[in-house]
């Protein structure tokens, strides 16, 4: 749950397939090391965000855009006592690849060499994607999304480096990941996993961390949350989803889900129901585009303080 003075909305707009949106203000919330299947583009609108990436820890202030490539392990927390607020886009790899192919400026798999750039115009456009989606303006939201991603690819994009040459360590790490994914609800111990793969626990731990940016148990928690998201989107009750992916119970899921996703499982599922339920409806009709009203955030729904 969001703490006092914190609010968040993590949702999906039906007219922007392949995209998740998060708009939030956090004070004490800390995102543990995790990764995403797709890309992350976060526009900081207030305060300072501290981002931990493989190259070190960086600070992002207003006008900055945080850009994280798929499957890159990272952390996030407040970079100062006033916390931070931001608007974030989570497009799938397919969405970014399609736009990259259209503009033809990046050869190969598109990526971003700098995790944080100062680009106030792009940051404003990311916020405008949120505004248009929240107000039900599909044409504006889709147009702005394509324009801002094209801008970021053109100005900051590059081709992702090829995966490291397949060594015994890389192969062991990849196989370990497959095993953990297959046995998510009942994973083996590190010693048993290493023995199964014909290596030592420390060698496997080192190879996995070098390959995926986090140790196996941390990766497994992130993978369980991903799997829980898919179940919640399909309508599975949070308590059932928790057990299915290997968490002890729903409070165990709640704790890790909220830390990694930024909102509790129940709030996450309710937003998906708004999109998938044929009887659901947009929180703000398209004709409200000019009145600048926003739908309620999670904190407002729970009766917590809203942003200033």
């Amino acid at each position: 749950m969001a703490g006092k003075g914190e609010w968040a909305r993590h949702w999906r707009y039906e007219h922007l397939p392949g995209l998740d949106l998060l708009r939030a203000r956090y004070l004490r919330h800390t995102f543990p090391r995790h990764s995403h299947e797709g890309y992350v583009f976060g526009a900081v609108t207030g305060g300072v965000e501290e981002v931990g990436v493989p190259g070190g820890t960086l600070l992002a202030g207003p006008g900055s855009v945080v850009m994280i490539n798929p499957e890159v392990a990272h952390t996030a927390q407040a970079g100062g006592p006033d916390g931070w607020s931001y608007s974030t886009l989570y497009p799938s790899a397919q969405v970014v690849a399609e736009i990259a192919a259209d503009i033809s400026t990046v050869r190969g798999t598109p990526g971003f060499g700098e995790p944080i750039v100062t680009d106030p115009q792009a940051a404003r456009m990311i916020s405008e994607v949120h505004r248009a989606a929240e107000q039900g303006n599909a044409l504006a939201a889709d147009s702005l999304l394509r324009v801002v991603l094209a801008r970021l690819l053109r100005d900051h994009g590059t081709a992702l480096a090829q995966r490291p040459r397949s060594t015994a360590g890389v192969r062991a790490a990849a196989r370990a990941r497959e095993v953990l994914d297959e046995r998510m609800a009942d994973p083996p111990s590190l010693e048993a996993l290493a023995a199964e793969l014909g290596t030592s626990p420390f060698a496997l731990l080192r190879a996995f961390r070098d390959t995926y940016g986090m140790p196996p148990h941390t990766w497994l928690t992130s993978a369980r949350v991903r799997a829980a998201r898919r179940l919640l989107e399909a309508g599975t009750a949070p308590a059932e989803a928790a057990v299915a992916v290997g968490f002890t119970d729903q409070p165990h899921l709640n704790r890790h889900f909220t830390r990694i996703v930024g909102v509790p499982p129940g709030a996450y599922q309710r937003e998906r129901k708004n999109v998938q339920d044929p009887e659901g409806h947009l929180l703000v009709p398209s004709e409200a585009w000019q009145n600048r009203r926003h739908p309620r955030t999670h904190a407002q729904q729970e009766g917590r303080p809203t942003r200033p």
Side-chain angles (χ1 to χ4, degrees):
M1 304 292 284
K4 185 177 181 180
E6 297 185 328
W7 53 266
R9 186 188 188 203
H10 195 299
W11 68 301
R12 187 173 294 162
Y13 180 40
E14 61 182 338
H15 297 298
L16 295 179
L19 177 74
D20 275 29
L21 303 101
L22 170 66
R23 191 166 59 88
R25 182 192 182 205
Y26 294 120
L27 296 171
R28 291 165 294 281
H29 185 81
T30 298
F31 288 91
R33 193 164 301 280
H34 67 289
S35 61
H36 299 273
E37 292 176 292
Y39 294 79
V40 180
F41 300 99
V44 178
T45 56
V48 177
E49 179 185 9
E50 180 180 298
V51 184
V53 291
T57 300
L58 304 171
L59 298 177
S64 300
V65 178
V66 178
M67 304 183 296
I68 306 293
N69 294 320
E71 303 298 350
V72 172
H74 60 285
T75 63
Q77 63 183 19
D82 296 327
W84 87 101
S85 54
Y86 64 161
S87 297
T88 302
L89 306 175
Y90 297 98
S92 68
Q94 181 180 352
V95 168
V96 175
E98 288 175 354
I99 293 174
D102 282 345
I103 63 176
S104 301
T105 60
V106 177
R107 303 296 180 184
T109 302
F112 299 87
E114 299 177 83
I116 297 176
V117 296
T118 301
D119 192 335
Q121 184 173 347
R124 284 193 297 272
M125 292 175 70
I126 289 173
S127 293
E128 286 298 321
V129 173
H130 277 259
R131 190 187 306 278
E134 288 169 342
Q135 297 178 337
N137 191 325
L139 178 61
D142 193 6
S143 301
L144 288 163
L145 173 66
R146 294 174 186 276
V147 171
V148 71
L149 292 186
R151 174 189 174 90
L152 292 171
L153 285 163
R154 183 195 68 221
D155 294 348
H156 311 293
T158 185
L160 285 178
Q162 295 295 317
R163 293 183 65 86
R165 186 173 53 189
S166 182
T167 64
V170 170
R171 289 193 297 272
R175 180 56 187 145
R177 177 171 166 164
E178 291 175 0
V179 171
L180 293 174
D181 200 32
E182 292 166 358
R183 306 181 203 169
M184 186 176 294
D186 187 23
S189 68
L190 178 63
E191 183 176 7
L193 181 58
E196 182 177 334
L197 300 177
T199 185
S200 72
F202 279 112
L204 179 59
L205 185 63
R206 183 170 55 251
F208 199 100
R209 187 173 52 225
D210 290 345
T211 304
Y212 299 113
M214 58 187 115
H217 69 279
T218 303
W219 180 89
L220 180 59
T221 298
S222 183
R224 283 173 166 168
V225 168
R226 286 189 193 181
R229 288 176 67 171
R230 291 190 287 270
L231 290 174
L232 292 170
E233 289 165 8
T236 304
E240 295 177 16
V243 175
V245 302
F247 288 115
T248 306
D249 51 24
Q250 185 174 342
H252 193 198
L253 168 66
N254 288 355
R255 183 166 64 254
H256 289 291
F257 193 100
T258 303
R259 291 183 66 205
I260 290 176
V261 180
V263 296
Y268 181 88
Q269 188 174 56
R270 284 194 298 273
E271 290 287 3
R272 267 62 191 169
K273 188 176 187 300
N274 285 338
V275 173
Q276 296 178 3
D277 188 340
E279 296 183 359
H281 58 277
L282 295 175
L283 295 180
V284 177
S286 58
E287 59 266 23
W289 169 244
Q290 297 296 332
N291 69 12
R292 299 304 184 187
R293 289 181 297 146
H294 285 179
R296 294 186 301 166
T297 64
H298 170 65
Q300 288 171 293
Q301 291 170 350
E302 299 292 337
R304 292 183 174 81
T306 60
R307 62 175 176 170

